[in-house]
Amino acid sequence: MPPANLTPTKWPKNLTAEHLHRLVRAERDPRRALALFDAATVAPVPTSAPTQILPSPDTVSLLTSRLASAGLLPLATSLLSRSRALFPSNADLEPPFLTLLRAFSRTHRPLDALKLFRSAPSALSLPHSARSYTAVLAGLVAHSHLPLAHSLLADMRAAGFGPTTATYNVLLKAHCSDADAPIDDAVRLFRNIPKPDACSYNTLIDGLCRRGRRAEALELFSEMVENAVAPTVVTYTTIINWLAREGCLDDALEMFDEMGRRGIAPNVVTYSSLIDGLCKGGRAASALDLLERLAKEVKPPNTIIYSSVINGLCKEGLLREAMEVLDRMRLQGRKPDAGLFGKLIVGLCDAGRAVEAANYLDEMVLAGVQPNRVTWSLHVRINVAVVTALCVRGEVGRAFQVYQSMRTRGISTEPSTFHLLVEFFCKKNHLEKAARVVLDMLSERCIPERETWDVIVSGYWSKKKVRQEAEQIWNQLAVI
């Protein structure tokens, strides 16, 4: 029970149930809200409160929801139990009861929801209903307790409660989400629903798409429209997502335009699905247009969407546009990760723009994007790509600078990269740098291959002074 000192020091002169509801709603801390509720409704009444009042059912529902959302399920359960005495009508107590059942499921405790449901008739004098059966079924299905769900469904029918559309939707979701379950079973179940709603259609459309039966999904969508069941943003997003995944980009764009004609506003998921499909399908310019619309009409794009667009632009050689997107992203306060920086850096390397790639590598380091256990190999690939590109372009100083930065940051160098640097520095007559790389190899117990030794020995041998000294020593040895 919350401590008493959380209650207000001053109460209104004429405290009413409506006033209490406003106080509970305004209090952001659910524990303090519960203390306010108890101070006004539980005897003995505080001396500062004029009268003890009877709260409204809406206040109990609100407070139960707040406590459940904060994970304070024992307090929410206790409040529900105490409210039984306040509201003898089942109609008043069922909304907070349903809220609590769903909260148990949301916090991955569906078995506790089932326990609360089974104890409701005795502990709360609250009989079961079709809605409470459905709420528990949904939790069991969502957490893959399918045998218990089937058993509860049998109990529901035995209790005289025929499955409602909501109940069918729960079962339909179970069939469609189980990859091993035949989708035809879900189709037969759908046909048994007396009045399927948008949720019914959406679930089966998604299930058909997941099994690659896109034509049947589109037929079901047409049937949905013919039966005057209004498609929702979820309906369109599901179809657009699967059309884009399968490369049917024109069909996906047509479906996107149809949404607008029907007055259904696409959400971030809709945009994300279509943008990703366009980028993977070689139509990054169209994806860039959608990115502009998303930022203008919905909300700023997230990092995943930005990453898709930058990757698509780089693959198509639109590097200037990719750099502009990255700059816009950073202006919006979103921090690029190693994967996003890597896409642009590698794209610049592939285009022969090695110095720009090295500059972006420096920006990545300055931004604090450091390798970890997950991104270690990615950082290695990015740095190797930059070193390789700089060597190809003949940028001696910059290549050595990036190499030293790699070692300073503890990024390992592959044997092939060591050899590349030795060969490059020897060709450019920077034998000191080549020798430094060889020493670094030995310090890491990376024994140079014969080709590497041949390169550096040949490099030193080509020096006139070294050759003359070697010849003198050889002549002296010949005399001896």
Side-chain angles (χ1 to χ4, degrees):
M1 186 66 62
N5 60 4
L6 290 180
T7 58
T9 56
K10 292 184 180 181
W11 290 89
K13 291 183 178 179
N14 298 311
L15 182 64
T16 63
E18 183 180 354
H19 199 143
L20 177 61
H21 186 82
R22 290 200 299 270
L23 288 173
V24 169
R25 186 175 57 189
E27 176 54 61
R28 300 179 65 179
D29 185 340
R31 290 180 180 272
R32 292 181 64 90
L34 179 60
L36 287 170
F37 178 88
D38 286 343
T41 61
V42 179
V45 182
T47 55
S48 58
T51 57
Q52 182 179 345
I53 64 168
L54 179 67
S56 69
D58 288 343
T59 306
V60 176
S61 292
L62 171 64
L63 188 52
T64 302
S65 177
R66 293 273 304 281
L67 291 168
S69 298
L72 304 173
L73 295 175
L75 290 178
T77 305
S78 174
L79 174 64
L80 186 66
S81 179
R82 288 185 283 119
S83 298
R84 172 76 276 180
L86 299 175
F87 306 113
S89 171
N90 295 330
D92 292 333
L93 199 61
E94 187 173 44
F97 177 63
L98 294 173
T99 297
L100 193 52
L101 289 176
R102 294 176 184 126
F104 273 113
S105 175
R106 198 165 52 246
T107 54
H108 310 287
R109 298 167 62 182
L111 300 183
D112 288 336
L114 180 61
K115 182 179 179 181
L116 176 64
F117 168 80
R118 293 201 183 282
S119 67
S122 58
L124 301 174
S125 300
L126 184 65
H128 295 152
S129 67
R131 295 176 67 189
S132 58
Y133 269 109
T134 301
V136 179
L137 274 172
L140 293 173
V141 167
H143 294 86
S144 302
H145 293 288
L146 299 184
L148 282 175
H150 286 298
S151 175
L152 188 63
L153 180 63
D155 292 345
M156 180 180 181
R157 286 174 171 153
F161 295 105
T164 63
T165 299
T167 310
Y168 277 114
N169 288 344
V170 170
L171 299 174
L172 196 60
K173 181 178 180 181
H175 280 80
C176 291
S177 60
D178 185 356
D180 297 327
I183 193 63
D184 291 328
D185 291 348
V187 174
R188 283 191 290 270
L189 179 63
F190 175 84
R191 295 303 175 193
N192 288 329
I193 304 177
K195 291 184 178 181
D197 58 11
C199 181
S200 313
Y201 279 100
N202 293 344
T203 302
L204 185 54
I205 286 172
D206 183 63
L208 289 168
C209 288
R210 287 179 183 275
R211 269 71 169 190
R213 293 163 66 166
R214 180 169 51 85
E216 293 173 68
L218 292 174
E219 289 177 6
L220 193 62
F221 173 77
S222 300
E223 176 189 314
M224 180 181 187
V225 176
E226 291 171 3
N227 291 342
V229 179
T232 66
V233 65
V234 175
T235 317
Y236 279 103
T237 300
T238 299
I239 295 176
I240 288 171
N241 176 50
W242 290 104
L243 287 172
R245 282 191 178 193
E246 295 183 13
C248 304
L249 299 177
D250 290 330
D251 293 337
L253 286 169
E254 173 58 31
M255 191 68 70
F256 184 82
D257 292 337
E258 183 180 319
M259 287 184 71
R261 292 193 295 270
R262 287 182 175 273
I264 300 174
N267 58 24
V268 174
V269 179
T270 317
Y271 276 102
S272 178
S273 301
L274 189 51
I275 287 173
D276 185 63
L278 289 168
C279 290
K280 290 178 179 176
R283 296 169 66 170
S286 299
L288 192 57
D289 293 337
L290 279 179
L291 186 73
E292 299 284 352
R293 286 184 57 180
L294 171 62
K296 186 183 299 182
E297 299 175 6
V298 184
K299 61 184 295 187
N302 56 36
T303 303
I304 296 174
I305 297 176
Y306 275 121
S307 182
S308 295
V309 174
I310 290 174
N311 188 37
L313 292 169
C314 290
K315 283 183 177 179
E316 296 179 34
L318 302 173
L319 297 175
R320 178 179 60 82
E321 291 82 353
M323 288 187 282
E324 290 175 355
V325 172
L326 181 65
D327 290 340
R328 183 193 313 171
M329 175 183 176
R330 288 189 287 187
L331 285 173
Q332 290 177 352
R334 296 194 180 275
K335 183 179 179 181
D337 57 13
L340 202 151
F341 267 116
K343 289 178 175 64
L344 183 55
I345 290 171
V346 173
L348 289 167
C349 290
D350 292 341
R353 298 163 66 172
V355 175
E356 291 176 84
N359 292 339
Y360 271 104
L361 181 60
D362 290 342
E363 287 191 34
M364 184 177 78
V365 175
L366 291 173
V369 182
Q370 299 294 333
N372 54 41
R373 292 175 61 185
V374 177
T375 64
W376 186 268
S377 60
L378 174 61
H379 279 264
V380 172
R381 289 198 301 272
I382 295 171
N383 282 268
V384 167
V386 174
V387 168
T388 303
L390 289 168
C391 290
V392 171
R393 297 293 296 177
E395 298 286 344
V396 178
R398 201 75 169 91
F400 192 66
Q401 181 184 21
V402 173
Y403 167 71
Q404 287 183 311
S405 175
M406 289 175 64
R407 296 192 60 78
T408 301
R409 290 179 288 127
I411 296 176
S412 56
T413 307
E414 299 172 347
S416 58
T417 308
F418 276 128
H419 177 78
L420 173 68
L421 286 166
V422 171
E423 185 177 43
F424 172 64
F425 290 140
C426 286
K427 284 182 179 180
K428 293 296 182 179
N429 209 26
H430 287 263
L431 299 180
E432 299 81 2
K433 290 183 172 61
R436 170 70 179 275
V437 174
V438 172
L439 290 175
D440 289 341
M441 290 182 72
L442 296 173
S443 69
E444 291 189 10
R445 297 183 179 180
C446 177
I447 306 302
E449 298 289 341
R450 176 171 179 171
E451 292 79 3
T452 306
W453 286 118
D454 288 344
V455 167
I456 193 165
V457 170
S458 298
Y460 272 102
W461 184 253
S462 64
K463 289 282 191 178
K464 183 177 181 181
K465 182 178 179 181
V466 172
R467 188 169 62 251
Q468 290 175 346
E469 291 178 355
E471 289 175 349
Q472 290 175 2
I473 294 173
W474 177 260
N475 291 333
Q476 291 174 2
L477 290 173
V479 172
I480 295 174

